[in-house]
Amino acid sequence: MRLTLPALSLLLALPAAAQAPQEGFRVVNRTGADATVLNASRAGRGEWGANLLRPDRPLADGQGFRVVPNAEAGCRFDLRLVLGDGRESVLRDQDICAQRTLEMATTTRAPAAASATARQPMAGPVGREAAPAQPNQAARQVSTGTGFLVADGRVMTNHHVIDACNRVILRTPAGPWLEARPPARSDAALDLAVLNVPGLGGPALAFRGGPAVRRGEGVVAYGFPLAGLLSSDPKLTRGEVNGLRGLGDNPSQYQISAEVQPGNSGGPLVDMQGHVVGVVVSKLNAQAVSRRTGDIAQNVNFAVQGGVAREFLRRAGVEPRVAESAGPDRPTADVGEIAHRSTLFIRCER
């Protein structure tokens, strides 16, 4: 892969001997995991700048990426890789004129919950297409839900979250609101949709590619339940996969014990590595069950299976990120931080 960095302004012109080589330099991922973010900035600049990797093309372990800086950028660079699980590999003050291949291996865990959100990249507006939006306070009817970033400009949610909306806007983890633009792709039978949100970028959540999900596995649901009643910040609930089929033996769903409420719809259900295993879709209507059986069902919830959601995205022209879930479970707070960076609040106005 090859990409040219944007021009970097300099206060003083550098002598020719100190200019960056025209052939650039190569960054090799030796971390043992896929990297979703690569940053390269002048040493001491104090900020990382743009992600050089495409959302649909992570830098796999052992793979290299050639960076060709602007000719006036100089020779000293700071480099960073961010892995799909939030860990980082950082090299400081590297002389890319003397060393044309840089291997990045040492990684650290994602920062603690108190600082991870501030330090890690979050989904938000990027580029000229990112037109800011604001809620229409005069809308006749408003409903809310949750979505999550699956690729630049693409947000997955439920069909019922955006069905019959006159306008859909999304509040990003970074704060600003952006408006979804037609066309949206949806499947009413699966209750899935993918929104087109021009100018939205950031880390896309990875779908679990293996091993197969088992009953009893721990999962985390992340989203915005009961907006307007509870606080406006996202909520995390932990639970387990109770069954490998959904209501009425539905083969496209899981039954889960992670508690969800209206507003969670469309949010990510992730495993304890932070990889998507489902899309939260519904909870059992306890009152209806009580009228039918005389008993009150408790904490019966459902999610569209991750594999089903992944195939829907591919049919919609979106190639999702996929990662294997291996190793020990991560702390729930760390999993929540991974989900937080890519989860958006959805407002449907009619």
Side-chain angles (χ1 to χ4, degrees):
M1 292 186 282
R2 179 186 180 98
L3 190 69
T4 301
L5 284 171
L8 299 175
S9 60
L10 297 176
L11 295 178
L12 297 173
L14 295 175
Q19 290 182 348
Q22 291 300 307
E23 65 270 27
F25 60 96
R26 189 166 181 261
V27 177
V28 180
N29 179 6
R30 300 293 188 193
T31 62
D34 289 357
T36 59
V37 175
L38 169 60
N39 304 118
S41 64
R42 288 181 301 161
R45 190 182 180 197
E47 58 184 44
W48 287 114
N51 178 14
L52 302 183
L53 301 180
R54 284 175 41 180
D56 60 340
R57 296 185 66 183
L59 186 63
D61 180 50
Q63 189 175 41
F65 188 102
R66 184 164 298 281
V67 180
V68 182
N70 180 277
E72 297 180 347
C75 293
R76 313 300 299 197
F77 275 80
D78 293 335
L79 305 169
R80 180 178 72 158
L81 288 178
V82 180
L83 308 186
D85 59 15
R87 290 178 297 159
E88 295 182 356
S89 176
V90 175
L91 291 176
R92 301 280 186 184
D93 198 24
Q94 300 296 302
D95 186 347
I96 57 93
C97 295
Q99 187 175 2
R100 303 292 175 81
T101 299
L102 300 170
E103 296 193 353
M104 304 187 67
T106 303
T107 59
T108 58
R109 291 195 63 81
S115 60
T117 300
R119 292 184 55 188
Q120 295 292 333
M122 293 188 290
V126 293
R128 298 177 181 176
E129 292 182 307
Q134 288 297 326
N136 177 12
Q137 303 300 336
R140 293 181 294 106
Q141 186 178 355
V142 172
S143 59
T144 65
T146 303
F148 59 98
L149 193 68
V150 292
D152 273 2
R154 298 292 185 268
V155 174
M156 170 156 267
T157 187
N158 290 144
H159 168 80
H160 77 259
V161 170
I162 55 99
D163 187 31
C165 301
N166 295 328
R167 180 176 183 245
V168 175
I169 60 173
L170 304 92
R171 189 178 69 229
T172 67
W177 291 82
L178 294 175
E179 185 170 353
R181 302 289 175 82
R185 295 288 298 273
S186 65
D187 186 318
L190 294 176
D191 204 351
L192 292 174
V194 60
L195 301 176
N196 175 35
V197 189
L200 175 63
L205 285 179
F207 283 76
R208 172 165 160 169
V213 174
R214 300 185 300 165
R215 296 177 190 85
E217 281 200 43
V219 289
V220 166
Y222 202 80
F224 297 89
L226 301 173
L229 179 62
L230 303 180
S231 61
S232 61
D233 65 313
K235 309 297 185 295
L236 176 156
T237 56
R238 168 129 189 215
E240 296 177 341
V241 175
N242 300 131
L244 302 182
R245 289 177 178 255
L247 185 64
D249 216 25
N250 187 337
S252 69
Q253 295 183 355
Y254 294 131
Q255 181 181 324
I256 59 174
S257 65
E259 296 183 10
V260 299
Q261 306 293 341
N264 274 115
S265 293
L269 181 76
V270 297
D271 64 15
M272 301 312 296
Q273 296 290 324
H275 299 146
V276 177
V277 294
V279 182
V280 175
V281 68
S282 63
K283 63 182 294 184
L284 195 64
N285 187 327
Q287 291 182 336
V289 171
S290 177
R291 288 193 297 268
R292 183 172 176 177
T293 67
D295 194 14
I296 298 178
Q298 298 183 23
N299 199 24
V300 180
N301 313 288
F302 302 99
V304 180
Q305 294 185 11
V308 173
R310 203 165 65 232
E311 290 307 311
F312 163 77
L313 285 174
R314 288 178 175 141
R315 292 194 301 272
V318 177
E319 186 59 37
R321 288 183 54 222
V322 178
E324 298 292 309
S325 288
D329 288 353
R330 301 189 180 282
T332 303
D334 288 356
V335 173
E337 289 298 333
I338 293 171
H340 177 79
R341 300 195 295 267
S342 306
T343 303
L344 301 95
F345 176 76
I346 297 179
R347 175 183 167 101
C348 165
E349 298 176 348
R350 298 181 178 90

